Amino acid sequence: MTLESFLHMGGYAFYVWTSYGITTAVLLWNLFAPIVQRKQLLRQLALKQKRAQR
């Protein structure tokens, strides 16, 4: 088995590699989205706290 035949995936390479790509993108989104949302929430809470102190 050569690298080329492995990457070709028996003629199904487009579907296989597309599936891997989509899966990787979803996993990365699930990793980074909560981090970004947490930063936004903390920023909003800090602004509300500053307004309340005035």
Side-chain angles (χ1 to χ4, degrees), residues 25-52:
V26 168
L27 289 174
L28 289 173
W29 177 262
N30 283 331
L31 180 68
F32 290 112
I35 295 170
V36 171
Q37 289 175 350
R38 181 178 186 270
K39 286 182 182 181
Q40 289 175 346
L41 177 63
L42 290 175
R43 196 175 307 122
Q44 289 173 354
L45 290 174
L47 283 173
K48 282 185 179 182
Q49 188 177 15
K50 281 183 182 179
R51 290 179 190 150

Side-chain angles (χ1 to χ4, degrees), residues 7-34:
L7 294 176
H8 187 58
M9 297 281 178
Y12 296 102
F14 175 76
Y15 305 106
V16 172
W17 292 115
T18 302
S19 298
Y20 284 159
I22 291 171
T23 301
T24 302
V26 168
L27 289 174
L28 289 173
W29 177 262
N30 283 331
L31 180 68
F32 290 112

